[in-house]
């Protein structure tokens, strides 16, 4: 722990995680409220450094999207909710990587949406990160709006690949898991066993090409445990909104999961009648597309706090 | 035509349209640039006036979502693009209607997502429209943010029900077809044969319950014809954004159509390389959920103008 | 009418139908029980005669899949069921056509599942029809097992393209609509207004390439009207099975529609408790993939008669 | 090993597997060609014995669908193919269990297709197994046509719940994995680590209610290793057919995976041109619905051997 800041720096040992899994030895045991800093490599494990470094040559599936963790949060038990505050996501280098990967992405045949067409060409792009912008090219600058592409907790018995998403969180690739937000997860195992990785400097809705502005980052987090509160999947709290995440295929099922979890929240914590909440979301609900490229797609249902009664 | 305003008032004759169809006698022939005013009934044909007026009793499927039109736009020919400017959508009464309709909506079994579960209860709600707000209840007020739920042109040979959406537009139920915007449609028949209806005073993303804040409205429009420009489906132009609409099931196919049409736009009108446009949308594209309840779902792909070179 | 056979030969006048639509002038008025013969052109309107005749050059969308009809069945009224017996489907020439059409088919990006990949190459294949077999090549012969790819009735108000399928039937492309079977349709308009076309000499489940062994055919049919019986969509009766068809996207919704309609049948006509029927189909139901290439996909739910009590 | 039969009886130790996972201690090391017998409990771990034993009370998710294994097949290495011959599936008791489980099944809202409707009622049914038939009720007998609902190998790094299916096999619930068939799996880990369970005495296509005729069984198997042959997912070989399995959502993606893998097989082992194989499957391919209820749906693409050249 650094004396100056009171922030504890955690180091990954024994290799990154490529699955969200119970039963791995934690890299640290952390108390609720304690601030920690992690260094997360990018989704390509920092192996792509020039435009000539192609993913299919440098990376070896399924050893991609490396995760830092697990972090054991003291006091978290199955049935509780883990609330993670993202304090900061700072660049750990002066560039980002983006890419086209054959048979991966939203507008191409893939391993799942299997087709006979020739794949799109593979490409790697190294984009400078300067003065708060990603420089897409000489003309176009994209504001630095970082978030964690992959964030979640260990499931109860499965080991879920870090490219996938579900009720445990994981690779949701939704831009809302950003600094200043609190992200909630159901706790399935003693200590919650939190993981994160895959920081993005910027990303469009849907992560259309399958690859965002991939960043090695320094991430500052703290954890709280909401004892005895059981939720059905990831939730996000911002100053303006409450949000619930759903991950599934097809996309409408991801949306349905997210809407139903948001309604549950409105009923449980804000006293709504279930059909009243449904009616209200029909008129004021917002839906954000997280990703439409990963094994499970992610949608985020949102309601502005101004429509909610005081708790 | 009113002398004061120079705006021509059009009247529906011979009954509303319940399909988007070629070959019907136009209610008017309009010149490019001419401002017109229409009065559109609500999606229930103004038949629900109290909470006791249930849709399944008062309305008779498929005679719902009545449309005003067709309007023949002089000079529009197949292969052109029709650009419709929405100048104003004003309330034509002091309340809106919303409802739950059995086996219709985003979180219930329907005629298409057929299930054995009992339907949700039917409900009609009459909500006051006052001082620029829809009064959802004593506590919750929803800002008046009107748009046309259904808007489009006649297809070439089909007659498509006014509850459905497609490359002709139709019942997209996306909040972006709002005053101040220009909405583009491919022209399939001589005169384009424009229809609109189903004004909404407000709506959440996805129109989750299948019914928005349904409004009888006074709608002010004008038309331009972009000669010789062929587009693949509806587009929307706002001050900040370019948008392309896709309508299909499942929802990811609606998204794919919208993204591909937006890429086509970036390539054709802004000189992008196709894969560059794809890369860029991966980082800065936005996607808005129109509806996830109608026979075809609608997604709207967006790019901010600031990322586009000057034309 | 031929004296020898007592079969009435119907001739198409005024051009083929490219939509299933109400309100067109019937090509004939037919009495229940009367046998009629139609000559249906193939889905390419018989325009592809050599391997050099490519669909994209010879045909002009949406003027494909031409339909014979409408046939007005005397006595059929909305709310009734039309039962069509397919007596025979005979080849009207000595070859079939199959093809690959760009951006059409089950294993390629399409207009709906829109993608950026290059399309597959276009191909036309003319295959001899000889001795009861389609000769795929020197080695492979495919038995002549004909059926009507497109068959159905006019919807109430829509005009639905002949490439599409729905509760009115249409382009279901399921191999079960074959000689010896009775095919039932809901009647939406006075006289039912029956159409058919798109005979196939053979086809795999799903019509994977989007094009079967396309045949010009001589089709013998007769009609019965089941007065006062209202059904939810197409049904097929064979000696062994009862079948219900569902058409939608995604494919599971097509299946759900088909299963629900079959359960309705078991309940209405065979006295099953609804959940008993559901249980039984879980153990003995069969599901046939009609097509996974058309605007709506089609699935056919089946139960063997041996599991049904005597009516 | 029994002297009489030469068949080795394997016993499960250390509890059943509820995931398909690498790294667990094998219950046995088996040589290629060696016949083994397993006793598999039913999917409810034999806990439902009367109609009053409800799944939601007797079972505790995710500890359902218990699997026997892993079996280490000597000589199997990553990149090889494991070929499993199912010699026999014999009943280990005189009844089967079927059930309706709330929010599970093909015609009800579920955890994934999340809905607000009330669930269907929960039911357990104990059905006698007698004289080669399951007695559904006094009138209806269902032939004993057993198969393994869940069968597969350990993935490389994930631990996949035994209710799910994928390229590793798992809970495909397709009736084709039956006695007399050979089932092939890609080998991801040293020794393949084979699992199986969830025997069904009978099942309809799709396993519509989510629960088949669940059976405790005695299963006789043997294994071969096809060295150096790499396949993309499960395949099934019968006397008449070659089959490839695809598991995904939506159902059309499961079908696409299956078709593409079957085409790969035809190209690699039978010398087909890729587009020729596609054409041929369009005319003679068969598709069987495995399940439309599990986390991934399963489709099985089939071609009759008579259409294949001699290898």
């Amino acid at each position: 722990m650094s004396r100056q800041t009171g922030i504890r720096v955690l180091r990954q040992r024994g290799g990154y995680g490529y699955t969200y899994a119970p039963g791995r030895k934690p890299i640290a045991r952390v108390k609720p409220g304690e601030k920690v800093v992690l260094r997360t490599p990018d989704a390509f494990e920092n192996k792509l450094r020039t435009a000539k470094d192609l993913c299919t040559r440098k990376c070896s599936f399924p050893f991609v999207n490396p995760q830092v963790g697990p972090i054991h949060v003291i006091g978290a038990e199955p049935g509780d909710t883990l609330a993670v505050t993202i304090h900061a996501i700072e660049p750990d280098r002066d560039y980002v990587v983006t890419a086209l990967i054959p048979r991966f992405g939203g507008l191409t045949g893939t391993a799942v949406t299997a087709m006979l067409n020739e794949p799109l060409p593979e490409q790697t792009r190294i984009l400078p990160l300067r003065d708060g912008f990603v420089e897409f090219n000489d003309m176009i600058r994209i504001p630095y709006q970082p978030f964690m592409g992959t964030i979640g907790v260990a499931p109860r018995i499965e080991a879920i690949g870090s490219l996938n998403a579900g009720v445990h969180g994981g690779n949701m690739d939704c831009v809302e898991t950003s600094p200043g937000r609190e992200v909630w997860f159901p706790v399935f195992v003693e200590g919650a066993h939190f993981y994160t990785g895959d920081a993005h400097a910027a990303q469009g809705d849907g992560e259309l090409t399958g690859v965002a502005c991939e960043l090695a980052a320094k991430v500052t987090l703290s954890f709280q445990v909401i004892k005895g509160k059981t939720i059905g999947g990831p939730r996000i709290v911002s100053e303006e909104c409450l949000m619930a995440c759903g991950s599934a295929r097809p996309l409408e099922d991801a949306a349905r999961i997210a809407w139903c979890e948001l309604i549950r929240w409105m009923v449980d914590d804000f006293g709504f009648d279930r059909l009243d909440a449904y009616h209200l979301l029909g008129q004021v609900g917002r839906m954000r597309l997280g990703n439409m490229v990963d094994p499970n797609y992610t949608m985020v249902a949102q309601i502005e706090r101004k429509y909610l009664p005081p708790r």
Side-chain angles (χ1 to χ4, degrees), chain A residues 3 14 19 47 54 67 92 96 136 141 146 165 187 214-215 251 255:
Chain A
R3 284 181 186 268
T19 59
K47 291 172 181 168
L54 297 182
Q67 300 295 301
D92 210 15
V96 303
F136 183 77
R141 298 196 316 165
V187 175
E214 306 291 333
L215 182 66
L251 203 48

Side-chain angles (χ1 to χ4, degrees), chain A residues 88-200:
Chain A
I89 302 174
E90 296 161 277
D92 210 15
R93 66 187 184 203
D94 61 359
Y95 67 92
V96 303
V97 183
T98 193
L100 294 187
I101 302 171
R103 305 202 188 282
F104 185 59
L107 298 180
T108 176
T110 65
V112 178
T113 305
M115 299 201 160
L116 296 178
N117 306 83
E118 288 303 306
L120 299 175
E122 184 164 8
Q123 293 184 349
T124 297
R125 296 190 180 190
I126 307 295
L127 306 178
L129 178 57
R130 201 149 33 204
D131 303 333
F133 287 88
V134 172
E135 300 184 347
F136 183 77
N137 60 24
D138 288 353
M139 310 277 290
I140 299 174
R141 298 196 316 165
I142 302 168
Y144 180 70
Q145 294 181 319
F147 68 96
M148 300 314 294
T150 314
I151 184 167
V153 296
R156 183 145 178 201
I157 62 170
E158 290 190 297
I160 299 175
S162 59
L163 290 175
N164 210 340
V167 293
H168 71 293
N171 195 27
M172 301 187 290
D173 284 318
C174 72
V175 298
E176 307 291 0
T177 50
S178 59
R181 306 294 175 78
E182 210 174 86
V183 191
W184 295 9
F185 300 99
V187 175
F188 299 106
V189 300
E190 176 89 23
H193 282 215
F194 172 86
Y195 292 85
T196 194
D198 191 25
H200 292 166

